[in-house]
Amino acid sequence: MNFRQLELFLSLAKTPNISVVAKEHFLTQSAVSVAIKGLEQELRVQLFDRLNRRLSLNSNGRLLLQNLEPVMENFHNVLHSF
């Protein structure tokens, strides 16, 4: 698991559109998909339900979002303080 995967997860949780998230992060759609699948494999849970090429945050994803969002916000605040 790496920081980039977590950032991409947060972006996708807020905007569940891979092409939009890819553009925001200057990545390809494939790179975003691979990063999220890698995160899911490492956590051994699915974070999104995939229905007809659409992503929907599932209960595992909501739990991760709920716990990760404040941590990442604190991290960004620390970086900005320097």
Side-chain angles (χ1 to χ4, degrees):
M1 174 180 340
N2 62 52
F3 188 76
R4 183 63 144 184
Q5 288 172 312
L6 298 175
E7 283 186 317
L8 292 172
F9 166 76
L10 288 175
S11 291
L12 272 175
K14 295 173 185 173
T15 306
N17 185 312
I18 290 180
S19 62
V20 170
V21 170
K23 286 179 185 176
E24 288 175 354
H25 291 271
F26 305 101
L27 297 169
T28 64
Q29 292 177 25
S30 177
V32 173
S33 293
V34 167
I36 295 303
K37 286 187 185 253
L39 179 61
E40 290 177 324
Q41 287 174 349
E42 192 162 339
L43 294 174
R44 296 184 185 152
V45 296
Q46 204 170 13
L47 301 169
F48 294 92
D49 291 329
R50 291 157 176 87
L51 305 166
N52 297 327
R53 304 188 85 204
R54 290 184 166 219
L55 293 177
S56 176
L57 202 60
N58 64 23
S59 60
N60 295 321
R62 286 190 294 275
L63 181 61
L64 180 59
L65 176 63
Q66 178 183 0
N67 288 284
L68 182 61
E69 207 166 27
V71 172
M72 293 294 273
E73 187 175 323
N74 285 338
F75 179 75
H76 286 290
N77 288 339
V78 167
L79 290 180
H80 283 95
S81 70
F82 290 97

